[in-house]
Amino acid sequence: MTAEPSPYAFKMGELVLLIDPKDRRYLVTLEENGSFQNHAGSLLHADLVGVDEGSEVATSLGQGLRAFRPTLSDFILSMPRGAQVIYPKDIGPILMMADIGPNMKVLESGVGSGALSMAMLQAGASIVGYEIREDFAGRAKNNVTKFLGEEVLNRYQVQIRDCYDGIEETGFDRVVLDLPEPWNVVEHAASSLKPGGIFVSYSPSITQSVQTTHTLKRSGFGELKTTEVLHRGWNIAGTSVRPDHRMVAHTGFLTRARLLHQ
Ligand code: SAH
C-alpha cells in the first residue's frame, strides 16, 4: 500500500525558497532533471518533491537547507529586477494608504519590475499599467505571472505609454505612481480618478514630494499627507536584546491625496 501524499509537500513546477544556516536565500522553480548548486554542494529538484514545506533537506556535502514556499516579500527580494523595485517596507504602507482591495481599478505607472504591481494584484486590484520601457513591461509581466499565475493577466494590462502625456481611460479608483516627475501626472490623475479617488506617489527625494504636493493642492486634491517609513529590526538572542546595528536609513517618501468633488 502506498501512503497518501502529504497535502503540504512540494510538487514539480512549484517555487521553493531554500535558506542556508547563514540566512542566504535561494529561489528555485522545481523542474524535472533540475538541480540546485551552491558552494555547499548540490541538491536535485526531484529530492524536494514530496517533501513537506518547512522541512530541512541536505545538500550533497551535507549542508542543511530549510525549504519553504516563498512569501511575496521573499519573491520580490530575489526576483530578476531591471528597474529599482519598491521594497516590502514601503509596499505594505502603500497598500493601506492607497486602500487597495478587491475590484479596485488602479492606474499604476511606471511598472518597473512589477514588485508593487504584484502586491496590488495579490490584494485583488485590477491594474492598468503605463510603462515607457518595453523590456521592463515584459519583465514585470514575467515576474507577476511567475508568482501569481497566468490567470492574473485578466486583471493586469500593461501598456507601453508615457504617463506624462495623459491617462486615456477614466473611472479609476486609485492612481499609484513611482515616476521621476510625478507632478506631471497630477492633472491627468484629476481627470481620470473618480471623485474621492486616491492618489499615492513614491519618490526617493523630498523635493519630488514637495513639488507633487504643491501641484496636488492646485489641482483639486485634498487630504494631503507625506510619510516616511522607518523600520528598525531588533536582535533577540539570550540576554542580548537590542536594536540591530544596521538599518536601511532611507528608501523613499510616500505622498497621498484624495480627489475632491469640484
Ligand atoms: N514600482 C516599480 C518600480 C518602478 S521604477 C516596482 O516596484 O517594481 C520606475 C519605472 O518608471 C521605470 O520602469 C521607468 O521605465 C518608468 N517610467 C519612467 N518615466 C515614465 C513615464 N513618463 N511614463 C511611464 N513610465 C515611466
Side-chain angles (χ1 to χ4, degrees):
M1 207 176 81
T2 48
E4 282 282 303
S6 159
Y8 312 116
F10 297 114
K11 300 178 196 69
M12 270 303 164
E14 272 200 277
L15 277 169
V16 180
L17 179 74
L18 299 171
I19 307 174
D20 79 6
K22 292 206 164 141
D23 202 36
R24 281 179 292 235
R25 287 148 187 269
Y26 309 93
L27 197 62
V28 297
T29 303
L30 300 184
E31 289 165 4
E32 302 284 349
N33 306 319
S35 73
F36 165 80
Q37 232 110 30
N38 76 353
H39 60 280
S42 63
L43 180 72
L44 294 176
H45 290 189
D47 291 342
L48 281 160
V49 172
V51 167
D52 277 355
E53 177 169 9
S55 301
E56 193 178 68
V57 289
T59 65
S60 55
L61 298 179
Q63 184 185 68
L65 295 170
R66 191 62 66 177
F68 291 105
R69 293 189 170 87
T71 62
L72 177 56
S73 172
D74 294 323
F75 185 78
I76 287 173
L77 297 176
S78 54
M79 71 187 191
R81 304 177 213 160
Q84 177 64 265
V85 299
I86 300 183
Y87 284 97
K89 159 178 99 65
D90 295 300
I91 291 180
I94 290 173
L95 293 181
M96 276 291 139
M97 288 173 88
D99 189 39
I100 302 297
N103 306 319
M104 288 283 178
K105 188 173 160 191
V106 180
L107 182 284
E108 184 193 2
S109 188
V111 302
S113 310
L116 180 59
S117 304
M118 254 176 246
M120 295 196 290
L121 290 165
Q122 182 166 271
S126 294
I127 301 181
V128 175
Y130 282 13
E131 170 56 58
I132 37 170
R133 288 201 35 184
E134 200 153 359
D135 52 340
F136 286 175
R139 177 170 306 134
K141 278 197 263 183
N142 283 343
N143 284 334
V144 162
T145 53
K146 191 165 174 198
F147 191 73
L148 297 172
E150 296 281 331
E151 318 80 63
V152 86
L153 293 178
N154 302 332
R155 299 187 279 122
Y156 190 48
Q157 193 203 110
V158 181
Q159 303 176 9
I160 309 303
R161 272 174 184 273
D162 186 331
C163 202
Y164 303 155
D165 291 344
I167 301 174
E168 199 174 70
E169 281 180 67
T170 56
F172 285 104
D173 300 292
R174 311 294 182 236
V175 169
V176 181
L177 305 177
D178 177 4
L179 289 169
E181 298 178 2
W183 54 90
N184 284 334
V185 181
V186 168
E187 289 200 2
H188 308 318
S191 48
S192 68
L193 273 170
K194 295 176 184 169
I198 300 177
F199 171 104
V200 172
S201 178
Y202 169 93
S203 296
S205 164
I206 194 64
T207 52
Q208 293 168 298
S209 299
V210 171
Q211 194 161 349
T212 305
T213 299
H214 290 325
T215 315
L216 285 163
K217 282 187 184 164
R218 284 198 304 268
S219 312
F221 285 87
E223 293 273 295
L224 276 99
K225 207 176 174 118
T226 288
T227 306
E228 177 184 10
V229 180
L230 304 178
H231 272 196
R232 188 163 71 146
W234 281 67
N235 178 69
I236 302 179
T239 52
S240 162
V241 179
R242 53 155 180 83
D244 287 342
H245 290 306
R246 290 167 209 272
M247 70 185 274
V248 175
H250 179 64
T251 52
F253 300 98
L254 306 174
T255 296
R256 172 203 191 262
R258 295 195 83 168
L259 185 63
L260 305 176
H261 185 65
Q262 301 304 310

